[in-house]
Amino acid sequence: EDQVTQSPEALRLQEGESSSLNCSYTVSGLRGLFWYRQDPGKGPEFLFTLYSAGEEKEKERLKATLTKKESFLHITAPKPEDSATYLCAVRSSGTYKYIFGTGTRLKVLA
Amino acid sequence: KAGVTQTPRYLIKTRGQQVTLSCSPISGHRSVSWYQQTPGQGLQFLFEYFSETQRNKGNFPGRFSGRQFSNSRSEMNVSTLELGDSALYLCASSLSTSGRKNDYEQYFGPGTRLTVT
């Protein structure tokens, strides 16, 4: 069964304290791994798509990487405005459905 | 380019009633997917429409239905509302056409907050 697990569930960082969020997946053929940011009461905002192991994408303080079993979202020198829930999703080539993890709630303290 | 829009943004209904939610995708996007988001279950896939046809379906009861129009706009309907249907309903659109990698990136609307009392 296709599955996505994100860890940790919640993370508190001091401003400037770098860290990584994990997204582990099992899927019958990966047709893309997607990272989103979601602020309270809003729809998820698209961040990155990764398609093959070894691929990396960067945007400002965020960098996403992909292996055959997991993806990491690295946050370098975070700021309070990076506080949000970060969601990971995969698209399965078996079902063509998008499966989402339950997210990591990130809080960056000033 | 305008983003995905959803109407209404907020809705309060009573158990047993039915509700219709609307989604307008990004111009040129042909696929529309619907999700239910609750604090306990996270984002759960409801269904996907492409070119007016349901292409994929999640594990929800038949009370949840949808449709897509020729202009790619989509509606979802929930009949005989239950308290457990209270959630944020999200719509996402993607190009989903030629099979190019970026065609499957989904862009979400702001959601419709449904409260069932």
Side-chain angles (χ1 to χ4, degrees):
Chain A
E1 183 185 343
D2 298 334
Q3 193 171 353
V4 175
T5 303
Q6 291 189 248
S7 62
E9 286 187 16
L11 183 62
R12 290 167 69 93
L13 299 173
Q14 289 295 132
E15 185 173 3
E17 179 186 2
S18 301
S19 187
S20 296
L21 313 182
N22 178 264
C23 171
S24 298
Y25 63 91
T26 54
V27 64
S28 54
L30 181 67
R31 291 282 182 164
L33 184 142
F34 309 90
W35 281 99
Y36 291 86
R37 168 196 170 124
Q38 186 174 25
D39 293 300
K42 297 188 176 181
E45 174 192 346
F46 173 79
L47 292 174
F48 303 110
T49 309
L50 301 166
Y51 287 98
S52 53
E55 191 174 357
E56 298 182 352
K57 295 271 181 77
E58 278 189 78
K59 179 181 179 180
E60 296 180 357
R61 295 177 293 282
L62 300 176
K63 179 180 177 180
T65 61
L66 180 65
T67 72
K68 288 188 177 179
K69 293 186 176 181
E70 58 190 349
S71 176
F72 291 94
L73 184 65
H74 307 278
I75 303 177
T76 302
K79 298 182 178 182
E81 53 262 42
D82 294 323
S83 298
T85 295
Y86 290 85
L87 297 167
C88 168
V90 298
R91 184 166 182 264
S92 163
S93 67
T95 64
Y96 292 96
K97 293 180 182 178
Y98 295 83
I99 300 102
F100 279 79
T102 52
T104 293
R105 294 189 312 278
L106 174 66
K107 177 75 173 176
V108 182
L109 304 170
Chain B
K1 195 181 253 189
V4 178
T5 58
Q6 293 186 244
T7 56
R9 293 293 315 280
Y10 302 92
L11 208 48
I12 300 175
K13 290 286 189 179
T14 304
R15 270 183 304 176
Q17 288 186 316
Q18 75 164 13
V19 67
T20 299
L21 312 182
S22 180
C23 171
S24 292
I26 292 171
S27 177
H29 283 195
R30 295 174 62 187
S31 168
V32 173
S33 295
W34 288 90
Y35 295 85
Q36 180 194 68
Q37 187 174 37
T38 58
Q41 297 294 320
L43 264 166
Q44 301 289 311
F45 172 73
L46 280 156
F47 28 66
E48 178 193 10
Y49 285 88
F50 178 80
S51 291
E52 302 179 64
T53 301
Q54 188 180 85
R55 184 160 72 173
N56 231 326
K57 189 176 187 305
N59 299 321
F60 278 81
R63 299 185 297 107
F64 292 82
S65 63
R67 60 177 175 168
Q68 187 180 33
F69 302 95
S70 58
N71 61 358
S72 293
R73 191 177 69 85
S74 177
E75 289 181 347
M76 68 163 280
N77 183 276
V78 188
S79 62
T80 319
L81 283 166
E82 300 176 359
L83 293 178
D85 297 334
S86 295
L88 180 66
Y89 289 88
L90 291 159
C91 161
S93 75
S94 63
L95 279 167
S96 191
T97 51
S98 66
R100 292 172 303 181
K101 288 181 178 179
N102 291 355
D103 285 1
Y104 296 95
E105 294 172 356
Q106 289 193 314
Y107 295 85
F108 283 83
T112 294
R113 172 73 62 187
L114 172 65
T115 302
V116 183
T117 63

